[in-house]
């Protein structure tokens, strides 16, 4: 792992596994891990709050302390250790609604740099949801509400006009 990995997504990756693997015998693991996973998902979508960060840490300790077996007793470790060591990344998601590593799709924005756009129309022709407007030889613009963040425009633009913000 390096700076191109999102630590919130990494914590979620491990929670996805735990939720899948929990035998369900004890409530902290069966329900607690699901709630942890939901909170991580909310944060990855840029909808998390500072209160969620408190809840995430508190519930992680409850699940660790009260689960019956080693699965639940260790499942919150990725959450706690990423929070301890990479809180700046959690704060970037919650406060700035940004994913520093660009991994959380919901937080990305595809944008066209007007200075580089020559109006070749390649992006607009390849956009699956017609989110890009612009005349031939004119500057093109992406409608952020319509964009589904597929990345096709970035791939098709030969003039380095599309970038991820
Ligand atoms: S593909 Fe690039 S240069 Fe062509 S219209 Fe789109 S953004 Fe502009
Ligand atoms: S990322 Fe995909 S959906 Fe969004 S503007 Fe580019 S081509 Fe269209």
């Amino acid at each position: 792992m390096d700076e191109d990995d999102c630590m919130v997504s990494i914590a979620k990756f491990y929670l996805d596994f735990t939720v899948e693997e929990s035998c369900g015998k004890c409530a902290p693991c069966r329900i607690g891990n699901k709630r942890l996973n939901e909170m991580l998902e909310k944060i990855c979508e840029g909808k998390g709050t500072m209160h969620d960060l408190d809840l995430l840490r508190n519930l992680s300790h409850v699940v660790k302390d009260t689960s019956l077996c080693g699965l639940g007793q260790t499942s919150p470790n990725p959450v706690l250790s990423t929070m301890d060591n990479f809180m700046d990344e959690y704060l970037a998601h919650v406060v700035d609604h940004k994913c520093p590593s660009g991994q959380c799709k919901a937080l990305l924005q595809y944008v066209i740099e007007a200075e580089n756009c020559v109006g070749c129309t390649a992006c607009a022709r390849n956009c699956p949801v017609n989110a890009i407007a612009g005349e031939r030889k004119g500057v093109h613009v992406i409608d952020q509400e319509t964009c589904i963040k597929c990345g096709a425009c970035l791939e098709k633009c030969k003039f380095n006009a599309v970038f991820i913000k």
Side-chain angles (χ1 to χ4, degrees):
M1 285 188 278
D2 59 17
E3 68 276 12
D4 293 329
D5 290 292
C6 166
M7 288 299 122
V8 186
S9 302
I10 292 292
K12 187 170 182 332
F13 169 83
Y14 285 104
L15 259 293
D16 283 342
F17 170 81
T18 313
V19 166
E20 192 68 30
E21 291 299 314
S22 175
C23 76
K25 184 168 181 176
C26 69
C29 181
R30 183 181 71 247
I31 303 170
N33 280 317
K34 274 194 186 152
R35 297 293 93 87
L36 288 176
N37 208 17
E38 286 164 2
M39 278 188 262
L40 290 170
E41 187 164 359
K42 194 175 161 191
I43 293 167
C44 286
E45 289 175 349
K47 297 174 186 163
T49 63
M50 293 302 284
H51 182 56
D52 288 325
L53 295 185
D54 289 339
L55 287 176
L56 196 59
R57 193 183 285 280
N58 290 343
L59 182 56
S60 291
H61 284 295
V62 171
V63 173
K64 260 178 87 70
D65 294 345
T66 57
S67 290
L68 282 179
C69 84
L71 185 80
Q73 288 160 9
T74 55
S75 60
N77 285 351
V79 180
L80 290 169
S81 102
T82 51
M83 288 188 92
D84 285 345
N85 294 291
F86 300 98
M87 181 48 83
D88 55 323
E89 291 200 25
Y90 279 87
L91 291 175
H93 286 71
V94 169
V95 179
D96 304 328
H97 304 291
K98 302 251 183 240
C99 174
S101 60
Q103 295 294 315
C104 293
K105 215 174 167 186
L107 297 176
L108 303 182
Q109 270 194 343
Y110 285 82
V111 180
I112 294 175
E113 179 76 69
E115 280 182 6
N116 291 356
C117 176
V118 299
C120 72
T121 76
C123 56
R125 281 184 284 111
N126 285 282
C127 176
V129 291
N130 294 323
I132 305 176
E135 300 292 323
R136 179 171 287 281
K137 296 189 180 172
V139 172
H140 283 48
V141 179
I142 295 174
D143 174 6
Q144 298 299 330
E145 295 294 314
T146 312
C147 174
I148 56 168
K149 296 159 187 176
C150 70
C153 52
L154 180 68
E155 195 182 309
K156 294 292 174 184
C157 180
K158 294 185 178 142
F159 301 91
N160 290 327
V162 182
F163 66 96
I164 296 174
K165 194 160 95 169

